[in-house]
Amino acid sequence: MTPKVVLVGPMGAGKSTVARRLGERWRVDVRDTDHDIEAAAGKPVSEIFVDEGEQHFRALEVDAVADALRTHDGVLALGGGAVLAEATQEALQGHTVVYLEVGLADAVKRVGLGHGRPLLLGNVRARVMKLLEERAPIYSAVATITVDTNGRTPDDVAAEVIRRVEENA
């Protein structure tokens, strides 16, 4: 079993929203590894960060991604930092991975004040810019397809993902 597509990208790229649109159009299940982690831990990601720390969360995330890659055959959305782990980068090889690329202005607009996003405490714009700069090369490296989401609706992005995935099939 392997996911039809795996969505990666920073917070604010629209991974969860686009995943739902893709699931509807392809008539497949949608899975989000952040939700898997929350369900297993019995609390939100933000509380895991506060209570156990980022390192503990990242370990849970590696396991959640590995499990989802083995057991899910629909659309899979990964948390923004999931690709930081080398084990996850390796596990993504051979999968159809779509990088939903987003610029600073759109990302900041979409995440708002960062409520519930522990990595955005403080200056949201500066934190988003730093995360985009640090992670963009990793997203590009693991992706088989890159789709620009700037100034586009989730439906437009989903339509392009579908077209590009089907072209590459």
Side-chain angles (χ1 to χ4, degrees):
M1 188 176 294
T2 185
K4 185 168 183 74
V5 68
V6 180
L7 301 179
V8 300
M11 59 185 83
K15 296 180 300 291
S16 296
T17 303
V18 171
R20 286 191 299 274
R21 300 295 198 291
L22 293 172
E24 290 165 6
R25 293 194 187 168
W26 278 326
R27 290 179 170 76
V28 297
D29 289 333
V30 174
R31 191 160 163 187
D32 183 313
T33 55
D34 279 352
H35 296 160
D36 290 352
I37 294 165
E38 289 177 340
K43 56 184 161 182
V45 167
S46 57
E47 287 183 26
I48 298 170
F49 264 76
V50 170
D51 296 346
E52 286 92 22
E54 182 177 1
Q55 188 173 2
H56 178 75
F57 171 77
R58 295 296 175 205
L60 296 174
E61 188 171 51
V62 167
D63 292 342
V65 171
D67 178 64
L69 290 172
R70 272 192 319 274
T71 63
H72 184 66
D73 61 358
V75 176
L76 179 61
L78 304 189
V83 299
L84 298 175
E86 278 187 43
T88 297
Q89 293 171 28
E90 291 170 11
L92 289 171
Q93 292 175 12
H95 292 278
T96 300
V97 179
V98 177
Y99 167 26
L100 297 183
E101 191 174 38
V102 65
L104 179 62
D106 277 15
V108 169
K109 212 180 328 178
R110 293 174 189 169
V111 299
L113 297 175
H115 295 295
R117 297 182 185 265
L119 291 180
L120 294 186
L121 295 176
N123 181 334
V124 173
R125 187 176 179 83
R127 290 293 300 142
V128 170
M129 185 167 71
K130 186 173 185 324
L131 291 171
L132 289 175
E133 289 171 357
E134 290 171 351
R135 296 176 180 179
I138 300 170
Y139 295 133
S140 292
V142 300
T144 54
I145 297 169
T146 298
V147 175
D148 184 356
T149 69
N150 289 299
R152 300 174 73 189
T153 68
D155 286 326
D156 289 343
V157 173
E160 182 174 345
V161 170
I162 290 167
R163 182 181 58 76
R164 303 269 308 275
V165 166
E166 290 173 356
E167 281 175 1
N168 290 348

